[in-house]
Amino acid sequence: MPPTDMIRIDAHHHVWRLRPGAPGRTGPSPRAHDWLNGPDLAPIRRDFALDDLAPAAAVAEIDRTVLVQVVPDVEETADFLSLAAEEGKGLVAGVVGWADLTDPGIGDALAALRAGPGGDLLVGVRHLVQGEPDPRWLTRPDVQRGLRAVAEAGLAYDLLTLVHQLPAAIETVRALPGATFVLDHLSKPPIAAGDREPWASHIRELAAEPNVTCKLSGMVTEADRAGWTVADLRPYADVVLDAFGPSRVMFGSDWPVCLLAASYEEVVAAAEGLTAGLTAAERDEVFGGTAARVYRLPGERL
């Protein structure tokens, strides 16, 4: 990809610490991560800190990142904000945290996070909707009340959904036109199986709503993890780029989860290959402009 003066942003990555780590590592406080107990997740069942990401990001010419919540714990969000603040003008430009959408006091909870260390770096909220057994969880009145509070706080909301939950996501986005939504991981289409419907139709319907954008992220782990190719990913990336347009698509690595299928550099290279047919200005949107605008990333950090 030709050089660009645009700040390059990875709009989606994580860090976690499972046990007390070495002093001086830029990682979060230790906490339980039960989701990592599955046998297929053994390769990433270890600590990951910003110190681990920074060298790979530098090689891939990524300048700034958005750190995204992992567990449904408001203390993790406060921890991430403090971690980002301690960096100064470092790698992390913003944090997508967690708050209980069903809590009538969510507005106060968000205000408390913003009043704490690094609170100005809170740019969004996310809940693990993919784990909710009710496919229409997003349409619940208490959930939508919480989403309104997120919007009133000037924050984006990351949609972490599976394909069968997209109809509820579409209904929710339409019901809250004043809110800003970001779809994570293309809603995890079945890339390994090669199926595109009903996912593609849902994506086009969702993209018709102007208050939602999409992350070009999480694809390699939905493909054949041992033998994926850029050609396997292309039909899904093409649907998203066509439906949303480059100015409403942002690159995300999903590191370190991506390591189950590819290195950080390989994920960045795949995204560059998938967007090679765009103009230079359009690629700048995918690799920075969209994330900076949608998440309202603090300008002094860019």
Side-chain angles (χ1 to χ4, degrees):
M1 178 177 293
T4 174
D5 293 332
M6 185 76 180
I7 296 296
R8 300 231 306 172
I9 299 171
D10 173 355
H12 195 107
H13 77 89
H14 313 285
V15 294
W16 57 73
R17 180 174 291 168
L18 308 182
R19 59 193 65 82
R25 280 168 56 80
T26 52
S29 301
R31 55 178 43 87
H33 286 263
D34 294 340
W35 68 279
L36 283 171
N37 291 337
D40 59 326
L41 298 174
I44 58 171
R45 196 180 304 128
R46 61 181 179 86
D47 297 345
F48 289 94
L50 291 177
D51 291 340
D52 301 312
L53 174 60
V59 169
E61 299 182 319
I62 295 296
D63 303 296
R64 298 290 187 267
T65 68
V66 175
L67 174 58
V68 179
Q69 68 88 217
V70 185
V71 294
D73 180 353
V74 72
E75 292 303 320
E76 179 196 65
T77 299
D79 197 13
F80 282 3
L81 291 169
S82 294
L83 178 64
E86 288 166 6
E87 274 201 297
K89 292 188 177 181
L91 190 62
V92 178
V95 172
V96 173
W98 182 87
D100 184 358
L101 291 177
T102 66
D103 179 3
I106 184 175
D108 293 335
L110 294 174
L113 285 169
R114 283 185 146 168
D120 61 317
L121 299 176
L122 184 66
V123 299
V125 171
R126 186 175 84 151
H127 177 70
L128 307 176
V129 177
Q130 66 176 11
E132 293 291 344
D134 179 4
R136 292 186 54 76
W137 185 85
L138 281 165
T139 68
R140 283 172 32 174
D142 57 345
V143 172
Q144 295 205 351
R145 180 193 60 216
L147 289 171
R148 289 188 183 91
V150 170
E152 288 167 2
L155 301 171
Y157 181 77
D158 271 34
L159 289 163
L160 179 62
T161 56
L162 301 177
V163 175
H164 74 280
Q165 296 166 323
L166 278 173
I170 294 165
E171 185 176 330
T172 299
V173 166
R174 287 173 176 165
L176 300 169
T180 298
F181 293 92
V182 182
L183 181 66
D184 288 355
H185 310 331
L186 289 68
S187 199
K188 298 193 170 184
I191 299 175
D195 297 333
R196 293 199 285 276
E197 291 296 346
W199 168 81
S201 294
H202 290 328
I203 287 294
R204 292 188 180 98
E205 191 173 0
L206 182 65
E209 304 306 316
N211 57 325
V212 59
T213 56
C214 183
K215 288 182 182 177
L216 196 66
S217 63
M219 300 179 71
V220 295
T221 46
E222 298 305 317
D224 177 356
R225 294 180 181 179
W228 65 271
T229 67
V230 172
D232 297 330
L233 311 181
R234 189 174 301 281
Y236 302 88
D238 284 350
V239 167
V240 164
L241 288 166
D242 179 65
F244 285 93
S247 65
R248 292 168 60 204
V249 174
M250 62 182 83
F251 165 72
S253 68
D254 198 27
W255 182 92
V257 179
C258 70
L259 299 179
L260 294 168
S263 70
Y264 188 86
E265 295 90 338
E266 287 171 335
V267 171
V268 175
E272 289 173 343
L274 293 168
T275 57
L278 303 180
T279 67
E282 290 171 335
R283 289 194 301 271
D284 282 349
E285 287 291 280
V286 174
F287 282 96
T290 302
R293 184 172 58 256
V294 170
Y295 282 129
R296 304 177 185 178
L297 297 178
E300 70 274 11
R301 300 184 67 85
L302 302 178

